[in-house]
Amino acid sequence: MASKLDALNRWVDEVTRLTQPDRVHWCDGSDAEYQALLELMLDTGDLIELNPSTHPNCYLHRSSPSDVARVEHLTFVCSQDAEDAGPNNHWMAPDEAHAKIDALFAGCMRGRTLYVIPYCMGPIDSPIARCGVEITDSPYVVANMRIMTRMGQKALERIERDGSFVKGLHSTGDLDPARRFIMHFPEELTIKSIGSGYGGNALLGKKCHALRIASWQARQEGWLAEHMLILGIENPQGEVFYVAAAFPSACGKTNLAMLIPPKAYPGWKVWTVGDDICWMQPGADGRLWAINPEAGFFGVAPGTGAKTNPNALAMLDHDTIFTNVAVTADLQPWWEGKGEGKPVTDWQGRDFDPANGPAAHPNSRFTVSARQCASWTPRAEDPQGVPISAIIFGGRRESLVPLVFESRDWTHGVLVGAAMGSETTAAATGAVGVLRRDSMAMKPFCGYNFGDYFKHWLSFDRPGTQLPKIFHVNWFRKGQDGKFMWPGFGDNMRVLEWIIERCRGRAGAQETPIGNLPRRSDLNLAGLEIPAADMDQLLTVDRDGWAREYTGIGEYLDSFGQRTPEALRREHARTLSALTQP
Ligand code: GTP
Ligand code: SPV
Ligand code: MN
């Protein structure tokens, strides 16, 4: 009996009988426990120690080569009614799903240790925070959960006070993709995941709990669980404006959250609250207040360099777990876009040979405590969260979509979010670079029917609220030469400034059928070397292209049938007719 909560003890007993571990370990979250886990993994070869003089307390984990990303085709929402999961999810009947996955869990922990991980998503004393318990047989998962969540004794105490928690059962199983499933039972507040050790499939507090299960709860309880970064923009007067931004996986959240303003912005500073998940709810003042439920970053390594994201690069030189990166001759971590060093061993542990592809896996990742980031703000620990002034949607679009535009109002903003499209990335298995609809960057993460989700979003627009303005950005437009037209990274500050100045009624814009765009003169472009013609193209609306886009968006909205809210259809019809007017 390890907890004061009977329901928790009973569940641990039940899982122990099913999975047959040799030992059960209740995690207290202490330093000593973390050290012991690292040593265990160094012994078993699950971790390799990196160069201790350049990268103290840094380790490399090489996963099974067939287990390097989320697996959307093996991820299920198992609601009683298939309609509630919606066409945006794979569905399986709960009884069938339990039977199928429990058969795989039977005896799967023989010879292994079962770890019980109590965790809290959000500051322990936050009314917005929620708790869960993950059971796993993977020490790698325990170590990552320790960095990514508030884990251990304090979380257990809150769970015992709350009396409720999300149950997450995980085993790496035999890592065979044919016996891999990530299943969610929203009505039972339960997650079962087997056959993968990869982040989003295995760190159950993250996508499974904080997005899929939480989005379901948020709908019932009147809040939002979103795939968004949260940042604060401080101007030279010392005023701070908080912004939340939803971009699909590997489309720039971590980088935007850690932005360092360019020279044209003396006295400005960007603060990082979170880089991946945002829980927000209306406060007494009618504004949306947001917390980052996570305590660390599980970030994309490739592309992280001294020019692109110096804040991230600096935080990765100590106390970091790397997964599937390459290493240099002197055992420093290496990835494409790092800008220094030379790989000698690739992510699979082979001698590096460019003929085998990139040295680091395109979805190689780092796990690091948020506190190690120089731009991290203590406001991330504020139990009330931070007030959100603007919401930004964005995707990876090599053509058509302008650098930035502002929606007309909340309903139009919800349409802009619902209509989001983005080219797929290596964060999930499958083809890369394929354009797909990814509403609010939640396609892989919304735990219920998108039609209901759009309706939930619209419901926040009611008397007495002071909702954020909604914008859309695209850093990924390409020119004829196939290169990105916009420099991105730090220079995205120029777009952020326009956004917060729009929120304060200070910046100019031109109205177009898709929303309001800045003119070149409305942006601070000082010191930016970009041809005027390119800049004009980034700020132009191609009406014919957009008319085709909106026709496709209409078909997409239809795919949710009766569940698509009428208000969204009306807003869509309005926009399409404005685009097709002579
Ligand atoms: P997840 O952790 O998967 O949710 O991803 P994320 O949205 O946090 O993406 P991240 O910031 O890690 O960026 C993914 C990739 O996009 C990296 O290789 C970045 O270098 C690249 N990237 C980020 N911002 C920009 C940008 O402004 N311009 C360009 N060209 N690339 C960018
Ligand atoms: C994503 O894929 O959006 C991630 C990484 O943030 S994972 O935690 O694996 O989902
Ligand atoms: Mn993500």
Side-chain angles (χ1 to χ4, degrees), residues 11 14-15 18 74 76 94 97-99 101-102 105 167-171 180-185 188 190-194 201 204 208 213:
W11 177 56
E14 199 183 292
V15 170
L18 175 65
L74 302 174
F76 291 79
H98 280 301
I101 203 163
D102 286 354
F105 274 114
K167 293 176 186 161
L169 171 55
H170 170 257
S171 169
R180 181 178 297 162
F181 291 104
I182 326 298
M183 288 171 167
H184 305 74
F185 304 87
E188 303 165 41
T190 294
I191 304 152
K192 293 184 179 179
S193 164
I194 193 161
N201 303 328
L204 302 186
C208 301
I213 299 286

PDB file of all heavy atoms in Angstrom, residues 11 14-15 18 74 76 94 97-99 101-102 105 167-171 180-185 188 190-194 201 204 208 213:
ATOM      1  N   TRP A  11      -5.749   0.227  -8.622  1.00  0.00           N
ATOM      2  CA  TRP A  11      -5.367   0.222 -10.046  1.00  0.00           C
ATOM      3  C   TRP A  11      -3.940  -0.328 -10.219  1.00  0.00           C
ATOM      4  O   TRP A  11      -3.676  -1.133 -11.114  1.00  0.00           O
ATOM      5  CB  TRP A  11      -5.501   1.642 -10.616  1.00  0.00           C
ATOM      6  CG  TRP A  11      -5.066   1.769 -12.050  1.00  0.00           C
ATOM      7  CD1 TRP A  11      -5.539   1.063 -13.116  1.00  0.00           C
ATOM      8  CD2 TRP A  11      -4.042   2.636 -12.558  1.00  0.00           C
ATOM      9  NE1 TRP A  11      -4.888   1.448 -14.266  1.00  0.00           N
ATOM     10  CE2 TRP A  11      -3.969   2.415 -13.948  1.00  0.00           C
ATOM     11  CE3 TRP A  11      -3.206   3.587 -11.979  1.00  0.00           C
ATOM     12  CZ2 TRP A  11      -3.074   3.112 -14.770  1.00  0.00           C
ATOM     13  CZ3 TRP A  11      -2.325   4.288 -12.794  1.00  0.00           C
ATOM     14  CH2 TRP A  11      -2.258   4.041 -14.169  1.00  0.00           C
ATOM     15  N   GLU A  14      -4.093  -4.034  -9.840  1.00  0.00           N
ATOM     16  CA  GLU A  14      -4.727  -4.627 -11.028  1.00  0.00           C
ATOM     17  C   GLU A  14      -3.718  -4.731 -12.179  1.00  0.00           C
ATOM     18  O   GLU A  14      -3.596  -5.773 -12.835  1.00  0.00           O
ATOM     19  CB  GLU A  14      -5.852  -3.663 -11.408  1.00  0.00           C
ATOM     20  CG  GLU A  14      -6.956  -4.130 -12.283  1.00  0.00           C
ATOM     21  CD  GLU A  14      -7.874  -2.934 -12.550  1.00  0.00           C
ATOM     22  OE1 GLU A  14      -8.566  -2.443 -11.619  1.00  0.00           O
ATOM     23  OE2 GLU A  14      -7.842  -2.459 -13.702  1.00  0.00           O
ATOM     24  N   VAL A  15      -2.985  -3.629 -12.413  1.00  0.00           N
ATOM     25  CA  VAL A  15      -2.003  -3.614 -13.508  1.00  0.00           C
ATOM     26  C   VAL A  15      -0.860  -4.589 -13.206  1.00  0.00           C
ATOM     27  O   VAL A  15      -0.350  -5.264 -14.104  1.00  0.00           O
ATOM     28  CB  VAL A  15      -1.473  -2.176 -13.727  1.00  0.00           C
ATOM     29  CG1 VAL A  15      -0.273  -2.180 -14.675  1.00  0.00           C
ATOM     30  CG2 VAL A  15      -2.569  -1.272 -14.268  1.00  0.00           C
ATOM     31  N   LEU A  18      -1.891  -7.984 -14.093  1.00  0.00           N
ATOM     32  CA  LEU A  18      -1.950  -8.159 -15.551  1.00  0.00           C
ATOM     33  C   LEU A  18      -0.558  -8.273 -16.175  1.00  0.00           C
ATOM     34  O   LEU A  18      -0.293  -9.129 -17.014  1.00  0.00           O
ATOM     35  CB  LEU A  18      -2.717  -6.973 -16.177  1.00  0.00           C
ATOM     36  CG  LEU A  18      -2.782  -6.922 -17.711  1.00  0.00           C
ATOM     37  CD1 LEU A  18      -3.583  -8.107 -18.265  1.00  0.00           C
ATOM     38  CD2 LEU A  18      -3.398  -5.601 -18.202  1.00  0.00           C
ATOM     39  N   LEU A  74      -1.873   4.321 -35.571  1.00  0.00           N
ATOM     40  CA  LEU A  74      -2.036   3.347 -34.477  1.00  0.00           C
ATOM     41  C   LEU A  74      -2.604   4.023 -33.220  1.00  0.00           C
ATOM     42  O   LEU A  74      -2.611   3.432 -32.137  1.00  0.00           O
ATOM     43  CB  LEU A  74      -0.682   2.699 -34.154  1.00  0.00           C
ATOM     44  CG  LEU A  74      -0.011   1.977 -35.336  1.00  0.00           C
ATOM     45  CD1 LEU A  74       1.385   1.485 -34.964  1.00  0.00           C
ATOM     46  CD2 LEU A  74      -0.884   0.812 -35.815  1.00  0.00           C
ATOM     47  N   PHE A  76      -5.762   5.707 -31.261  1.00  0.00           N
ATOM     48  CA  PHE A  76      -7.225   5.578 -31.280  1.00  0.00           C
ATOM     49  C   PHE A  76      -7.878   6.378 -30.164  1.00  0.00           C
ATOM     50  O   PHE A  76      -7.339   6.481 -29.062  1.00  0.00           O
ATOM     51  CB  PHE A  76      -7.633   4.105 -31.102  1.00  0.00           C
ATOM     52  CG  PHE A  76      -7.278   3.238 -32.276  1.00  0.00           C
ATOM     53  CD1 PHE A  76      -5.978   2.773 -32.449  1.00  0.00           C
ATOM     54  CD2 PHE A  76      -8.235   2.928 -33.234  1.00  0.00           C
ATOM     55  CE1 PHE A  76      -5.638   1.987 -33.546  1.00  0.00           C
ATOM     56  CE2 PHE A  76      -7.904   2.136 -34.340  1.00  0.00           C
ATOM     57  CZ  PHE A  76      -6.609   1.661 -34.486  1.00  0.00           C
ATOM     58  N   PRO A  94     -14.729   0.723 -27.071  1.00  0.00           N
ATOM     59  CA  PRO A  94     -13.924   0.561 -25.858  1.00  0.00           C
ATOM     60  C   PRO A  94     -13.703  -0.903 -25.449  1.00  0.00           C
ATOM     61  O   PRO A  94     -12.568  -1.274 -25.113  1.00  0.00           O
ATOM     62  CB  PRO A  94     -14.718   1.320 -24.779  1.00  0.00           C
ATOM     63  CG  PRO A  94     -15.646   2.223 -25.509  1.00  0.00           C
ATOM     64  CD  PRO A  94     -15.827   1.696 -26.895  1.00  0.00           C
ATOM     65  N   ALA A  97     -11.223  -2.459 -27.752  1.00  0.00           N
ATOM     66  CA  ALA A  97      -9.887  -1.861 -27.579  1.00  0.00           C
ATOM     67  C   ALA A  97      -9.225  -2.393 -26.311  1.00  0.00           C
ATOM     68  O   ALA A  97      -8.048  -2.775 -26.330  1.00  0.00           O
ATOM     69  CB  ALA A  97     -10.005  -0.336 -27.534  1.00  0.00           C
ATOM     70  N   HIS A  98      -9.990  -2.429 -25.203  1.00  0.00           N
ATOM     71  CA  HIS A  98      -9.417  -2.960 -23.952  1.00  0.00           C
ATOM     72  C   HIS A  98      -8.957  -4.398 -24.158  1.00  0.00           C
ATOM     73  O   HIS A  98      -7.852  -4.771 -23.746  1.00  0.00           O
ATOM     74  CB  HIS A  98     -10.466  -2.919 -22.829  1.00  0.00           C
ATOM     75  CG  HIS A  98     -10.619  -1.564 -22.191  1.00  0.00           C
ATOM     76  ND1 HIS A  98      -9.574  -0.915 -21.574  1.00  0.00           N
ATOM     77  CD2 HIS A  98     -11.699  -0.755 -22.052  1.00  0.00           C
ATOM     78  CE1 HIS A  98     -10.001   0.245 -21.088  1.00  0.00           C
ATOM     79  NE2 HIS A  98     -11.295   0.376 -21.372  1.00  0.00           N
ATOM     80  N   ALA A  99      -9.811  -5.202 -24.786  1.00  0.00           N
ATOM     81  CA  ALA A  99      -9.479  -6.620 -24.951  1.00  0.00           C
ATOM     82  C   ALA A  99      -8.210  -6.776 -25.786  1.00  0.00           C
ATOM     83  O   ALA A  99      -7.300  -7.546 -25.452  1.00  0.00           O
ATOM     84  CB  ALA A  99     -10.649  -7.353 -25.611  1.00  0.00           C
ATOM     85  N   ILE A 101      -5.760  -4.585 -26.382  1.00  0.00           N
ATOM     86  CA  ILE A 101      -4.496  -4.078 -25.823  1.00  0.00           C
ATOM     87  C   ILE A 101      -4.137  -4.809 -24.532  1.00  0.00           C
ATOM     88  O   ILE A 101      -2.960  -5.056 -24.252  1.00  0.00           O
ATOM     89  CB  ILE A 101      -4.537  -2.536 -25.661  1.00  0.00           C
ATOM     90  CG1 ILE A 101      -3.104  -1.972 -25.647  1.00  0.00           C
ATOM     91  CG2 ILE A 101      -5.344  -2.096 -24.446  1.00  0.00           C
ATOM     92  CD1 ILE A 101      -3.011  -0.488 -25.893  1.00  0.00           C
ATOM     93  N   ASP A 102      -5.146  -5.224 -23.746  1.00  0.00           N
ATOM     94  CA  ASP A 102      -4.833  -5.969 -22.514  1.00  0.00           C
ATOM     95  C   ASP A 102      -4.161  -7.304 -22.837  1.00  0.00           C
ATOM     96  O   ASP A 102      -3.307  -7.779 -22.081  1.00  0.00           O
ATOM     97  CB  ASP A 102      -6.098  -6.197 -21.670  1.00  0.00           C
ATOM     98  CG  ASP A 102      -6.538  -4.914 -20.969  1.00  0.00           C
ATOM     99  OD1 ASP A 102      -5.797  -3.903 -21.060  1.00  0.00           O
ATOM    100  OD2 ASP A 102      -7.625  -4.913 -20.345  1.00  0.00           O
ATOM    101  N   PHE A 105      -0.691  -6.503 -23.033  1.00  0.00           N
ATOM    102  CA  PHE A 105      -0.097  -6.151 -21.740  1.00  0.00           C
ATOM    103  C   PHE A 105       0.114  -7.389 -20.857  1.00  0.00           C
ATOM    104  O   PHE A 105       0.945  -7.362 -19.943  1.00  0.00           O
ATOM    105  CB  PHE A 105      -0.996  -5.146 -20.985  1.00  0.00           C
ATOM    106  CG  PHE A 105      -0.738  -3.716 -21.366  1.00  0.00           C
ATOM    107  CD1 PHE A 105      -1.695  -2.957 -22.033  1.00  0.00           C
ATOM    108  CD2 PHE A 105       0.474  -3.110 -21.044  1.00  0.00           C
ATOM    109  CE1 PHE A 105      -1.455  -1.626 -22.373  1.00  0.00           C
ATOM    110  CE2 PHE A 105       0.721  -1.776 -21.373  1.00  0.00           C
ATOM    111  CZ  PHE A 105      -0.247  -1.038 -22.051  1.00  0.00           C
ATOM    112  N   LYS A 167      -5.526   7.949 -15.630  1.00  0.00           N
ATOM    113  CA  LYS A 167      -4.732   6.722 -15.581  1.00  0.00           C
ATOM    114  C   LYS A 167      -4.034   6.504 -16.917  1.00  0.00           C
ATOM    115  O   LYS A 167      -4.697   6.471 -17.954  1.00  0.00           O
ATOM    116  CB  LYS A 167      -5.646   5.510 -15.356  1.00  0.00           C
ATOM    117  CG  LYS A 167      -6.311   5.462 -14.012  1.00  0.00           C
ATOM    118  CD  LYS A 167      -7.254   4.263 -13.993  1.00  0.00           C
ATOM    119  CE  LYS A 167      -8.054   4.272 -12.717  1.00  0.00           C
ATOM    120  NZ  LYS A 167      -9.252   3.438 -12.826  1.00  0.00           N
ATOM    121  N   GLY A 168      -2.726   6.324 -16.872  1.00  0.00           N
ATOM    122  CA  GLY A 168      -1.985   6.040 -18.101  1.00  0.00           C
ATOM    123  C   GLY A 168      -1.139   4.797 -17.938  1.00  0.00           C
ATOM    124  O   GLY A 168      -0.248   4.768 -17.089  1.00  0.00           O
ATOM    125  N   LEU A 169      -1.413   3.782 -18.718  1.00  0.00           N
ATOM    126  CA  LEU A 169      -0.630   2.549 -18.640  1.00  0.00           C
ATOM    127  C   LEU A 169       0.245   2.438 -19.882  1.00  0.00           C
ATOM    128  O   LEU A 169      -0.268   2.523 -21.011  1.00  0.00           O
ATOM    129  CB  LEU A 169      -1.576   1.335 -18.544  1.00  0.00           C
ATOM    130  CG  LEU A 169      -0.912  -0.049 -18.660  1.00  0.00           C
ATOM    131  CD1 LEU A 169       0.202  -0.231 -17.628  1.00  0.00           C
ATOM    132  CD2 LEU A 169      -1.966  -1.150 -18.500  1.00  0.00           C
ATOM    133  N   HIS A 170       1.531   2.273 -19.660  1.00  0.00           N
ATOM    134  CA  HIS A 170       2.475   2.201 -20.780  1.00  0.00           C
ATOM    135  C   HIS A 170       3.466   1.057 -20.615  1.00  0.00           C
ATOM    136  O   HIS A 170       3.973   0.824 -19.514  1.00  0.00           O
ATOM    137  CB  HIS A 170       3.259   3.513 -20.909  1.00  0.00           C
ATOM    138  CG  HIS A 170       4.397   3.417 -21.882  1.00  0.00           C
ATOM    139  ND1 HIS A 170       5.724   3.287 -21.499  1.00  0.00           N
ATOM    140  CD2 HIS A 170       4.407   3.375 -23.244  1.00  0.00           C
ATOM    141  CE1 HIS A 170       6.488   3.190 -22.566  1.00  0.00           C
ATOM    142  NE2 HIS A 170       5.725   3.247 -23.631  1.00  0.00           N
ATOM    143  N   SER A 171       3.750   0.380 -21.704  1.00  0.00           N
ATOM    144  CA  SER A 171       4.873  -0.566 -21.737  1.00  0.00           C
ATOM    145  C   SER A 171       5.526  -0.452 -23.105  1.00  0.00           C
ATOM    146  O   SER A 171       4.847  -0.260 -24.113  1.00  0.00           O
ATOM    147  CB  SER A 171       4.391  -2.003 -21.518  1.00  0.00           C
ATOM    148  OG  SER A 171       5.464  -2.899 -21.815  1.00  0.00           O
ATOM    149  N   ARG A 180       1.785  -2.396 -31.669  1.00  0.00           N
ATOM    150  CA  ARG A 180       1.877  -1.051 -31.097  1.00  0.00           C
ATOM    151  C   ARG A 180       0.507  -0.387 -31.171  1.00  0.00           C
ATOM    152  O   ARG A 180      -0.112  -0.367 -32.242  1.00  0.00           O
ATOM    153  CB  ARG A 180       2.915  -0.244 -31.882  1.00  0.00           C
ATOM    154  CG  ARG A 180       3.141   1.167 -31.407  1.00  0.00           C
ATOM    155  CD  ARG A 180       4.237   1.855 -32.234  1.00  0.00           C
ATOM    156  NE  ARG A 180       5.530   1.194 -32.072  1.00  0.00           N
ATOM    157  CZ  ARG A 180       6.566   1.357 -32.910  1.00  0.00           C
ATOM    158  NH1 ARG A 180       6.463   2.160 -33.950  1.00  0.00           N
ATOM    159  NH2 ARG A 180       7.702   0.717 -32.703  1.00  0.00           N
ATOM    160  N   PHE A 181       0.023   0.126 -30.064  1.00  0.00           N
ATOM    161  CA  PHE A 181      -1.241   0.873 -30.046  1.00  0.00           C
ATOM    162  C   PHE A 181      -1.162   1.988 -29.016  1.00  0.00           C
ATOM    163  O   PHE A 181      -0.575   1.800 -27.947  1.00  0.00           O
ATOM    164  CB  PHE A 181      -2.424  -0.032 -29.664  1.00  0.00           C
ATOM    165  CG  PHE A 181      -2.771  -1.054 -30.701  1.00  0.00           C
ATOM    166  CD1 PHE A 181      -2.402  -2.381 -30.519  1.00  0.00           C
ATOM    167  CD2 PHE A 181      -3.441  -0.689 -31.860  1.00  0.00           C
ATOM    168  CE1 PHE A 181      -2.708  -3.329 -31.486  1.00  0.00           C
ATOM    169  CE2 PHE A 181      -3.738  -1.641 -32.827  1.00  0.00           C
ATOM    170  CZ  PHE A 181      -3.374  -2.960 -32.637  1.00  0.00           C
ATOM    171  N   ILE A 182      -1.770   3.119 -29.340  1.00  0.00           N
ATOM    172  CA  ILE A 182      -1.911   4.211 -28.374  1.00  0.00           C
ATOM    173  C   ILE A 182      -3.418   4.449 -28.271  1.00  0.00           C
ATOM    174  O   ILE A 182      -4.024   4.976 -29.213  1.00  0.00           O
ATOM    175  CB  ILE A 182      -1.221   5.514 -28.857  1.00  0.00           C
ATOM    176  CG1 ILE A 182       0.057   5.260 -29.668  1.00  0.00           C
ATOM    177  CG2 ILE A 182      -1.024   6.484 -27.709  1.00  0.00           C
ATOM    178  CD1 ILE A 182       1.195   4.585 -29.059  1.00  0.00           C
ATOM    179  N   MET A 183      -4.013   4.037 -27.148  1.00  0.00           N
ATOM    180  CA  MET A 183      -5.467   4.084 -27.044  1.00  0.00           C
ATOM    181  C   MET A 183      -5.929   5.007 -25.926  1.00  0.00           C
ATOM    182  O   MET A 183      -5.344   5.035 -24.844  1.00  0.00           O
ATOM    183  CB  MET A 183      -6.011   2.681 -26.812  1.00  0.00           C
ATOM    184  CG  MET A 183      -5.892   1.842 -28.075  1.00  0.00           C
ATOM    185  SD  MET A 183      -6.268   0.143 -27.757  1.00  0.00           S
ATOM    186  CE  MET A 183      -6.419  -0.474 -29.430  1.00  0.00           C
ATOM    187  N   HIS A 184      -6.994   5.748 -26.230  1.00  0.00           N
ATOM    188  CA  HIS A 184      -7.534   6.726 -25.273  1.00  0.00           C
ATOM    189  C   HIS A 184      -8.987   6.387 -24.990  1.00  0.00           C
ATOM    190  O   HIS A 184      -9.761   6.153 -25.925  1.00  0.00           O
ATOM    191  CB  HIS A 184      -7.453   8.136 -25.853  1.00  0.00           C
ATOM    192  CG  HIS A 184      -6.068   8.514 -26.286  1.00  0.00           C
ATOM    193  ND1 HIS A 184      -5.484   7.998 -27.421  1.00  0.00           N
ATOM    194  CD2 HIS A 184      -5.160   9.339 -25.730  1.00  0.00           C
ATOM    195  CE1 HIS A 184      -4.257   8.491 -27.535  1.00  0.00           C
ATOM    196  NE2 HIS A 184      -4.034   9.303 -26.523  1.00  0.00           N
ATOM    197  N   PHE A 185      -9.338   6.377 -23.708  1.00  0.00           N
ATOM    198  CA  PHE A 185     -10.705   6.105 -23.290  1.00  0.00           C
ATOM    199  C   PHE A 185     -11.186   7.341 -22.526  1.00  0.00           C
ATOM    200  O   PHE A 185     -11.105   7.378 -21.290  1.00  0.00           O
ATOM    201  CB  PHE A 185     -10.747   4.847 -22.400  1.00  0.00           C
ATOM    202  CG  PHE A 185     -10.139   3.634 -23.064  1.00  0.00           C
ATOM    203  CD1 PHE A 185      -8.765   3.368 -22.970  1.00  0.00           C
ATOM    204  CD2 PHE A 185     -10.929   2.761 -23.808  1.00  0.00           C
ATOM    205  CE1 PHE A 185      -8.199   2.263 -23.594  1.00  0.00           C
ATOM    206  CE2 PHE A 185     -10.370   1.645 -24.440  1.00  0.00           C
ATOM    207  CZ  PHE A 185      -8.998   1.395 -24.330  1.00  0.00           C
ATOM    208  N   GLU A 188     -13.391   7.171 -19.506  1.00  0.00           N
ATOM    209  CA  GLU A 188     -12.807   6.507 -18.328  1.00  0.00           C
ATOM    210  C   GLU A 188     -11.560   7.237 -17.845  1.00  0.00           C
ATOM    211  O   GLU A 188     -10.864   6.748 -16.940  1.00  0.00           O
ATOM    212  CB  GLU A 188     -12.428   5.056 -18.685  1.00  0.00           C
ATOM    213  CG  GLU A 188     -13.577   4.223 -19.216  1.00  0.00           C
ATOM    214  CD  GLU A 188     -13.078   2.927 -19.889  1.00  0.00           C
ATOM    215  OE1 GLU A 188     -12.142   2.296 -19.362  1.00  0.00           O
ATOM    216  OE2 GLU A 188     -13.625   2.581 -20.951  1.00  0.00           O
ATOM    217  N   THR A 190      -8.745   7.339 -19.149  1.00  0.00           N
ATOM    218  CA  THR A 190      -7.718   6.287 -19.192  1.00  0.00           C
ATOM    219  C   THR A 190      -6.987   6.281 -20.535  1.00  0.00           C
ATOM    220  O   THR A 190      -7.595   6.508 -21.586  1.00  0.00           O
ATOM    221  CB  THR A 190      -8.388   4.909 -18.956  1.00  0.00           C
ATOM    222  OG1 THR A 190      -8.905   4.883 -17.622  1.00  0.00           O
ATOM    223  CG2 THR A 190      -7.412   3.765 -19.143  1.00  0.00           C
ATOM    224  N   ILE A 191      -5.684   6.013 -20.457  1.00  0.00           N
ATOM    225  CA  ILE A 191      -4.830   5.889 -21.648  1.00  0.00           C
ATOM    226  C   ILE A 191      -4.106   4.546 -21.550  1.00  0.00           C
ATOM    227  O   ILE A 191      -3.654   4.179 -20.469  1.00  0.00           O
ATOM    228  CB  ILE A 191      -3.768   7.019 -21.675  1.00  0.00           C
ATOM    229  CG1 ILE A 191      -4.425   8.405 -21.607  1.00  0.00           C
ATOM    230  CG2 ILE A 191      -2.866   6.899 -22.900  1.00  0.00           C
ATOM    231  CD1 ILE A 191      -3.529   9.463 -20.970  1.00  0.00           C
ATOM    232  N   LYS A 192      -3.997   3.835 -22.649  1.00  0.00           N
ATOM    233  CA  LYS A 192      -3.185   2.613 -22.685  1.00  0.00           C
ATOM    234  C   LYS A 192      -2.303   2.663 -23.923  1.00  0.00           C
ATOM    235  O   LYS A 192      -2.811   2.849 -25.032  1.00  0.00           O
ATOM    236  CB  LYS A 192      -4.067   1.364 -22.710  1.00  0.00           C
ATOM    237  CG  LYS A 192      -4.850   1.149 -21.419  1.00  0.00           C
ATOM    238  CD  LYS A 192      -5.647  -0.147 -21.444  1.00  0.00           C
ATOM    239  CE  LYS A 192      -6.393  -0.341 -20.117  1.00  0.00           C
ATOM    240  NZ  LYS A 192      -7.191  -1.593 -20.127  1.00  0.00           N
ATOM    241  N   SER A 193      -0.993   2.517 -23.711  1.00  0.00           N
ATOM    242  CA  SER A 193      -0.037   2.653 -24.813  1.00  0.00           C
ATOM    243  C   SER A 193       0.992   1.540 -24.733  1.00  0.00           C
ATOM    244  O   SER A 193       1.616   1.344 -23.693  1.00  0.00           O
ATOM    245  CB  SER A 193       0.650   4.022 -24.697  1.00  0.00           C
ATOM    246  OG  SER A 193       1.822   4.060 -25.485  1.00  0.00           O
ATOM    247  N   ILE A 194       1.180   0.825 -25.821  1.00  0.00           N
ATOM    248  CA  ILE A 194       2.161  -0.269 -25.811  1.00  0.00           C
ATOM    249  C   ILE A 194       2.937  -0.320 -27.126  1.00  0.00           C
ATOM    250  O   ILE A 194       2.418   0.042 -28.187  1.00  0.00           O
ATOM    251  CB  ILE A 194       1.470  -1.637 -25.535  1.00  0.00           C
ATOM    252  CG1 ILE A 194       2.529  -2.708 -25.197  1.00  0.00           C
ATOM    253  CG2 ILE A 194       0.596  -2.093 -26.711  1.00  0.00           C
ATOM    254  CD1 ILE A 194       1.968  -3.922 -24.485  1.00  0.00           C
ATOM    255  N   ASN A 201       4.227   9.052 -27.955  1.00  0.00           N
ATOM    256  CA  ASN A 201       3.523   7.787 -27.769  1.00  0.00           C
ATOM    257  C   ASN A 201       3.657   7.254 -26.347  1.00  0.00           C
ATOM    258  O   ASN A 201       2.867   6.405 -25.926  1.00  0.00           O
ATOM    259  CB  ASN A 201       4.105   6.701 -28.699  1.00  0.00           C
ATOM    260  CG  ASN A 201       4.065   7.094 -30.161  1.00  0.00           C
ATOM    261  OD1 ASN A 201       3.166   7.813 -30.586  1.00  0.00           O
ATOM    262  ND2 ASN A 201       5.043   6.626 -30.928  1.00  0.00           N
ATOM    263  N   LEU A 204       3.065   9.855 -21.384  1.00  0.00           N
ATOM    264  CA  LEU A 204       1.606   9.957 -21.517  1.00  0.00           C
ATOM    265  C   LEU A 204       1.034  11.265 -20.991  1.00  0.00           C
ATOM    266  O   LEU A 204      -0.098  11.621 -21.296  1.00  0.00           O
ATOM    267  CB  LEU A 204       0.938   8.748 -20.856  1.00  0.00           C
ATOM    268  CG  LEU A 204       1.365   7.383 -21.419  1.00  0.00           C
ATOM    269  CD1 LEU A 204       0.529   6.265 -20.794  1.00  0.00           C
ATOM    270  CD2 LEU A 204       1.255   7.311 -22.938  1.00  0.00           C
ATOM    271  N   CYS A 208      -1.087  12.540 -24.959  1.00  0.00           N
ATOM    272  CA  CYS A 208      -2.231  11.685 -24.625  1.00  0.00           C
ATOM    273  C   CYS A 208      -3.110  12.327 -23.555  1.00  0.00           C
ATOM    274  O   CYS A 208      -4.329  12.424 -23.717  1.00  0.00           O
ATOM    275  CB  CYS A 208      -1.736  10.307 -24.176  1.00  0.00           C
ATOM    276  SG  CYS A 208      -0.747   9.445 -25.418  1.00  0.00           S
ATOM    277  N   ILE A 213      -7.010  13.690 -23.834  1.00  0.00           N
ATOM    278  CA  ILE A 213      -7.966  13.551 -22.729  1.00  0.00           C
ATOM    279  C   ILE A 213      -8.390  14.940 -22.231  1.00  0.00           C
ATOM    280  O   ILE A 213      -9.576  15.205 -21.998  1.00  0.00           O
ATOM    281  CB  ILE A 213      -7.356  12.724 -21.571  1.00  0.00           C
ATOM    282  CG1 ILE A 213      -7.010  11.310 -22.042  1.00  0.00           C
ATOM    283  CG2 ILE A 213      -8.296  12.708 -20.365  1.00  0.00           C
ATOM    284  CD1 ILE A 213      -8.158  10.359 -22.256  1.00  0.00           C
TER     285      ILE A 213
END
